[in-house]
Amino acid sequence: LTRPAALQGNLVAWTQQRAAAALALPSDASLDAAQRNQIRTLAVSLETLGHILREQGSPDCVAHYQEASGYYQRIGDAAAEAITHYNLGRAYDEVPAIRDLDAAEAAYRRSLELHDPDDALGRARCIQQIGMVHHQRFNEARGREESDAALRHARAAEEHYQQALALCPPSAVADLGPIHGQLGNLYAEVGQIERAREHYEQDVQICEQTGDRYGAGQTRFNLALMYSRAAGRAAAPARRDLLQRALAYARASLRDFP
């Protein structure tokens, strides 16, 4: 283990010891406030260790997320359990050794079920992640030249991104920008360049509103790539205009980068 993981592991051991008596009770036994707090503290420490291990690319993060989820369920903390399933989905999505898109989607959907119906932002994030799973499946199917499967996953990704966009609160600009960016990527990949441009421009606008010049530059660079690739497929009359657009966005992108 790395030093951060080892230190967090020591904290887990300590919180396990403190919660041992509460955990030894039958599963249907009622818990007092102190016992619930001991179990919650243990769950938080396990989840934190899961975060550390996930960021380090260790498959061991899964067991810690699952154990934490069980403890949250024991004390009836559905909101915390929902977040743990969300992070479990990220583990299956991001850690190469255990990458499993089906498991990731199942975890995101479980998280969505556990979120309070009034938690629009939390639900939007889950739906967005499900869209990203379908987006990855689309790219994989396209790479294998499975056109029917690719089209099906592209439509599913679009549907989930649009749902997330509609659900996400207008004030959550840090979440709205990436959703627009992902829709831009998806539409660019299926050749709908004007729809892609609309969402890329929305992403740029949000980046500028929040002072994220680097993010704006990255999105403008994606626009330049999109128009450049479209020019390569276009007939001669349209090619010049597409290349001019690509050049304009590339120059704008360059100004955004330090």
Side-chain angles (χ1 to χ4, degrees), residues 54-78:
R54 190 190 79 221
E55 290 171 0
Q56 294 174 352
S58 171
D60 293 339
C61 63
V62 168
H64 296 295
Y65 283 138
Q66 290 173 334
E67 188 175 357
S69 175
Y71 294 143
Y72 285 132
Q73 189 174 36
R74 175 70 177 90
I75 62 174
D77 192 340

Side-chain angles (χ1 to χ4, degrees), residues 74 103 148 203 232:
R74 175 70 177 90
D148 290 343
D203 187 18

Side-chain angles (χ1 to χ4, degrees), residues 87-96 98-101 103-105 108 129 132-133 136:
N87 285 309
L88 180 61
R90 288 189 60 185
Y92 283 123
D93 197 357
E94 298 170 8
V95 178
I98 55 169
R99 186 173 182 272
D100 184 335
L101 293 180
E105 181 180 359
Y108 292 138
Q129 291 298 120
M132 290 176 67
V133 168
Q136 291 178 74

Side-chain angles (χ1 to χ4, degrees), residues 134 138 141 146-159:
H134 282 290
F138 159 69
E146 298 175 2
S147 58
D148 290 343
L151 180 59
R152 184 171 65 253
H153 289 305
R155 287 173 174 168
E158 178 190 21
E159 178 183 350

Side-chain angles (χ1 to χ4, degrees), residues 84-166:
T84 305
H85 279 284
Y86 180 90
N87 285 309
L88 180 61
R90 288 189 60 185
Y92 283 123
D93 197 357
E94 298 170 8
V95 178
I98 55 169
R99 186 173 182 272
D100 184 335
L101 293 180
D102 290 342
E105 181 180 359
Y108 292 138
R109 289 193 180 279
R110 178 57 180 156
S111 179
L112 182 61
E113 291 171 0
L114 288 165
H115 270 91
D116 189 295
D118 293 330
D119 183 2
L121 180 56
R123 292 173 61 81
R125 287 171 174 169
C126 291
I127 294 169
Q128 176 189 3
Q129 291 298 120
I130 296 169
M132 290 176 67
V133 168
H134 282 290
H135 199 155
Q136 291 178 74
R137 288 175 175 150
F138 159 69
N139 284 320
E140 290 178 358
R142 184 174 59 160
R144 295 190 297 265
E145 297 184 354
E146 298 175 2
S147 58
D148 290 343
L151 180 59
R152 184 171 65 253
H153 289 305
R155 287 173 174 168
E158 178 190 21
E159 178 183 350
H160 283 89
Y161 287 155
Q162 292 286 7
Q163 285 179 3
L165 195 60

